[in-house]
Structures are given as C-alpha cells and as structure tokens.
Amino acid sequence: MNFDKELDVRGLVCPLPILRTKKSLTNMTRGQILKIVATDPASLIDFQVFAEQTGNQLLSSAEASGEFLFYLKKK
C-alpha cells in the first residue's frame, strides 16, 4: 500500500504508540496515509479505538513476525 509517512514505534508500549501517532498526524494533511510499525500486541485494539474516536480511517492492520502494521488515513 502506498503511504506518505512512516512511523516506527517498535519497542514502545501503550500509550506511547498512540501518542506518537497523534503527533505525527498533526504534521500531515487531510487524506494522507501514515504507516505505523509496532510491536505492542495491545496496539491492535488501541489503533482500532483510536481510529473510531478520532475519525481517522484505519485502512489496514496486519501482523507479521511479531510486528504489527497499520495504515491510517488522516481525516
């Protein structure tokens, strides 16, 4: 999937991945896509809830080799 910016939050646990994501999104324009790479298993639920609460669209989430990939589209 194409993306405009990548955020690496591997090794961080809740709430840091969400806080870093929120900060990254403030520097992006509407419609841009942020790719997030995380290792915290709780991030699966955290990013779903974050998207619902903020109105940003969670385009995709996947796990591979203990890492979680998320693609968020800024509202």
Side-chain angles (χ1 to χ4, degrees):
M1 180 178 298
N2 292 330
F3 58 92
D4 299 291
K5 187 174 182 181
E6 184 171 357
L7 177 64
D8 184 349
V9 292
R10 289 179 279 202
L12 301 178
V13 294
C14 187
L16 291 176
I18 293 297
L19 293 174
R20 300 263 172 99
T21 297
K22 188 175 180 181
K23 185 177 179 180
S24 289
L25 286 170
T26 60
N27 298 322
M28 297 175 69
T29 59
R30 182 183 183 107
Q32 285 190 312
I33 297 173
L34 176 63
K35 175 185 176 183
I36 304 129
V37 184
T39 52
D40 182 7
S43 63
L44 283 171
I45 294 169
D46 292 344
F47 279 101
Q48 290 173 354
V49 171
F50 176 76
E52 290 171 7
Q53 291 179 345
T54 62
N56 295 297
Q57 185 180 1
L58 183 59
L59 300 174
S60 171
S61 64
E63 181 197 356
S65 303
E67 292 186 345
F68 303 93
L69 289 175
F70 303 97
Y71 290 90
L72 259 177
K73 185 175 184 180
K74 182 169 174 156
K75 68 174 182 174

